[in-house]
Amino acid sequence: TLKLSIIMRTPSNRQEFTKEWLQYILNEYENKIRPNAKVVVNTFYVGDACKPGEGFSAVLTKINIEATLLDCVSIVDAVEDPSNGQQITYNLVVKLRPQDPFEIEMNNHLGLNIKEYKIYSSIMAELNNFQAEKAGNEFRINIPKLIYGKQTDDEFVLVMENLKEFGYDLKAMTEGLNLTESKNALEQIARLHAVSYVYNIQYNILQKFPCMNINKILSAALLGSSSAINMALGLLKTRPEMNTMLDKLDSAKHHIENNIKQVLNNLPENKMYVLNHGDFWINNLLLKHTIQNEDDDSTTCDVQLIDWQLSHWGSPAFDLHYFFGSCITPEQRQQYSEQLLQHYHQVFTAVTIRLGAPVPDWTYTKFKQEFDRLALFGFFKSLWFSSLLSEMSKKGRNMNQNTSTNPFLWKIKSALAKIIMPIFFKPSVSEFTMKRLICPMINELISGENPEFTERYLAVLQDADERGLFDVPRS
């Protein structure tokens, strides 16, 4: 029993992956399909799941496994006579919790691990089974297949199929999605929103899965709004040609801060809520292009949604603003935003009708009003994405690399994190921290050493100004 518990123990980093643990999780997976199946791992390779600049905070590892799959009564049979088995390759991605104690406590405070575990282990299966029964699997929501998962106070792991081995890949952040890719991505998110909306009528998602409550996500979304505006003001002060925008934003600063807090803290009573992905940005979309017609090189694009830690129940506009702020360039947004919003609304409406529960009075005009109501949320998401784009591309590294620390020092940091993290979410403390974080970014913006970052940041500000987000209503 002791030996089995050691084998079952979830690894905390890639150095702890063993043949015995991999064999254990693969047998757990195969036994759900065929009870007498046994897997014997022959060899395995461990490597990086992400290219430099792709990952963010989680520990993502690629594992390729060569194994023998047998149909037998006991594992002893498999070891003694593996020649009768089927040779099989498993291409997997393993997601572990972050290595840094402060990130771990942040995840615990926001409930990020439980959210993602529930999505992969139960919620998405229920939603897809629901739409399959109602509409013959016409509106399936695409996510990687879960091979094994575990989530406790001390352990977290998700083992999924590695879709990159099947031709899926990420699009470059600086390039943005093209029109076809954008429509396919929005179709997937519209399916998620529509299926969850109809499912909720019958089953009540928040009662079944209270971890999907939006409150903590909203509190995190409000962090640093003042610092973000100060960062924008710092840049505009160095641009004499933008003095008009500078004066307007400076005058509107307190109005914007109060408005975003009011919008996010005062949710409408007649709410049309859905399950949000919550982190619907370009690095969480795996794309696969397939040639549809060799004569004209036309292609289709399949989209898989990954990284569900920020999933929550709320307005569909949250996901949409995240998309427009991070998946397409400011130029594409100006050119295609109305067309893309109409496409999303058409898909959403068609799915709810097909599932037998159209949303009452959810015309495109009403939908657009809800989208515009959360425009400031989208503005801040666009600003922070521009900053993230700079940070990841400038450093050209995975932000999910393992960090080796002395066990004693790690325990000290962990104890400190448990004390500090609840304090961090107090407004005064979080604003102070954000100011420290953005100072290097302000200097980079002003210096012009990263022109792409600066131009994208300015484009976000100009777009927001043109949409009237810096206008203060006259009393």
Side-chain angles (χ1 to χ4, degrees):
T1 305
L2 178 60
K3 183 178 180 180
L4 181 61
S5 65
I6 294 174
I7 292 174
M8 292 169 54
R9 180 73 182 177
T10 300
S12 60
N13 56 63
R14 67 169 58 184
Q15 286 74 33
E16 295 181 4
F17 291 124
T18 64
K19 177 179 178 180
E20 291 76 16
W21 184 77
L22 294 172
Q23 202 160 261
Y24 164 72
I25 67 168
L26 290 174
N27 276 290
E28 288 281 303
Y29 168 70
E30 293 292 353
N31 287 166
K32 294 175 183 176
I33 304 171
R34 42 180 88 82
N36 290 331
K38 296 298 177 184
V39 178
V40 178
V41 172
N42 301 320
T43 61
F44 67 93
Y45 164 79
V46 177
D48 293 330
C50 297
K51 301 172 187 174
E54 284 185 352
F56 185 56
S57 61
V59 180
L60 293 173
T61 302
K62 174 177 71 174
I63 304 184
N64 296 336
I65 303 170
E66 298 296 333
T68 304
L69 180 64
L70 301 105
D71 187 4
C72 53
V73 176
S74 70
I75 193 67
V76 176
D77 299 333
V79 173
E80 291 181 350
D81 187 17
S83 60
N84 295 325
Q86 172 189 355
Q87 299 307 304
I88 188 169
T89 299
Y90 296 94
N91 298 305
L92 307 176
V93 168
V94 181
K95 184 172 188 176
L96 302 173
R97 70 180 186 175
Q99 298 294 288
D100 182 78
F102 289 93
E103 288 187 49
I104 292 173
E105 287 305 312
M106 174 75 79
N107 283 7
N108 290 340
H109 180 84
L110 296 175
L112 305 187
N113 288 342
I114 184 64
K115 287 173 180 288
E116 188 162 36
Y117 175 74
K118 288 293 185 182
I119 285 288
Y120 277 101
S121 64
S122 54
I123 295 177
M124 203 53 62
E126 291 200 25
L127 292 181
N128 274 327
N129 289 339
F130 180 78
Q131 63 82 27
E133 292 172 2
K134 296 274 188 180
N137 209 29
E138 185 179 349
F139 307 117
R140 185 168 186 81
I141 304 154
N142 295 336
I143 69 168
K145 182 194 298 182
L146 179 69
I147 305 300
Y148 175 82
K150 186 174 184 180
Q151 189 275 326
T152 68
D153 290 341
D154 301 317
E155 298 178 68
F156 174 77
V157 64
L158 292 173
V159 182
M160 299 159 285
E161 61 181 346
N162 185 2
L163 291 176
K164 287 190 175 183
E165 298 290 339
F166 299 96
Y168 289 86
D169 210 342
L170 299 175
K171 190 77 177 282
M173 288 186 295
T174 54
E175 186 177 344
L177 303 182
N178 61 35
L179 183 59
T180 298
E181 293 164 342
S182 296
K183 285 186 174 181
N184 280 272
L186 286 173
E187 183 169 331
Q188 275 296 309
I189 213 67
R191 289 183 183 187
L192 170 69
H193 292 171
V195 174
S196 62
Y197 169 81
V198 180
Y199 176 92
N200 183 67
I201 295 173
Q202 186 170 342
Y203 295 106
N204 195 318
I205 283 183
L206 286 183
Q207 284 187 8
K208 291 190 71 172
F209 305 104
C211 62
M212 291 298 154
N213 191 290
I214 195 175
N215 291 340
K216 287 186 176 180
I217 298 295
L218 285 182
S219 67
L222 289 169
L223 292 179
S225 57
S226 178
S227 296
I229 296 175
N230 287 332
M231 184 173 173
L233 291 172
L235 173 62
L236 292 176
K237 287 177 182 177
T238 67
R239 301 285 178 126
E241 72 277 13
M242 293 186 172
N243 281 340
T244 301
M245 187 190 300
L246 170 65
D247 294 339
K248 186 185 293 187
L249 180 57
D250 192 33
S251 300
K253 176 182 175 182
H254 295 298
H255 167 74
I256 293 173
E257 291 176 11
N258 292 334
N259 198 359
I260 186 66
K261 291 175 183 177
Q262 183 178 6
V263 166
L264 294 182
N265 287 328
N266 297 289
L267 302 174
E269 293 183 5
N270 55 337
K271 50 197 175 190
M272 205 296 291
Y273 282 0
V274 299
L275 181 62
N276 278 252
H277 178 278
D279 201 9
F280 191 42
W281 73 304
I282 194 167
N283 264 27
N284 287 334
L285 303 174
L286 284 173
L287 310 177
K288 180 180 180 180
H289 296 86
T290 305
I291 296 178
Q292 187 177 26
N293 189 328
E294 294 184 359
D295 293 333
D296 59 9
D297 293 329
S298 61
T299 62
T300 59
C301 176
D302 188 46
V303 179
Q304 298 270 346
L305 306 177
I306 60 174
D307 197 351
W308 294 78
Q309 288 184 316
L310 293 175
S311 53
H312 61 270
W313 190 249
S315 169
F318 286 121
D319 270 345
L320 295 173
H321 277 297
Y322 217 146
F323 172 87
F324 282 102
S326 63
C327 291
I328 57 179
T329 65
E331 295 77 19
Q332 291 168 326
R333 186 162 60 244
Q334 286 189 339
Q335 188 174 359
Y336 299 128
S337 60
E338 191 67 20
Q339 182 180 350
L340 291 173
L341 284 172
Q342 288 178 356
H343 178 71
Y344 164 87
H345 183 261
Q346 289 168 359
V347 174
F348 177 90
T349 302
V351 175
T352 56
I353 292 174
R354 181 75 169 84
L355 296 179
V359 183
D361 197 27
W362 192 242
T363 62
Y364 181 73
T365 300
K366 288 291 182 67
F367 157 71
K368 193 64 166 29
Q369 288 173 353
E370 174 63 6
F371 180 80
D372 292 340
R373 186 180 72 86
L374 290 172
L376 279 175
F377 173 83
F379 166 64
F380 283 113
K381 281 297 180 184
S382 297
L383 287 182
W384 284 120
F385 174 74
S386 299
S387 305
L388 179 63
L389 183 69
S390 164
E391 195 70 10
M392 294 180 76
S393 62
K394 177 179 65 175
K395 294 184 177 178
R397 63 180 175 90
N398 278 340
M399 299 179 75
N400 64 356
Q401 291 292 322
N402 297 340
T403 56
S404 58
T405 57
N406 180 290
F408 178 71
L409 294 177
W410 194 93
K411 288 181 180 180
I412 294 177
K413 288 180 68 176
S414 181
L416 285 173
K418 292 180 186 296
I419 297 171
I420 292 173
M421 194 51 59
I423 301 173
F424 173 79
F425 281 90
K426 293 184 178 180
S428 59
V429 177
S430 63
E431 284 296 340
F432 172 78
T433 306
M434 288 296 176
K435 286 179 182 178
R436 296 291 299 272
L437 288 174
I438 70 169
C439 278
M441 295 182 188
I442 293 177
N443 293 334
E444 184 181 359
L445 278 171
I446 294 174
S447 69
E449 64 185 55
N450 190 337
E452 184 178 35
F453 171 36
T454 303
E455 291 308 312
R456 178 139 191 170
Y457 206 89
L458 287 170
V460 170
L461 294 175
Q462 289 171 332
D463 178 65
D465 185 32
E466 290 172 4
R467 288 187 290 142
L469 297 185
F470 302 158
D471 296 339
V472 179
R474 296 181 180 180
S475 54

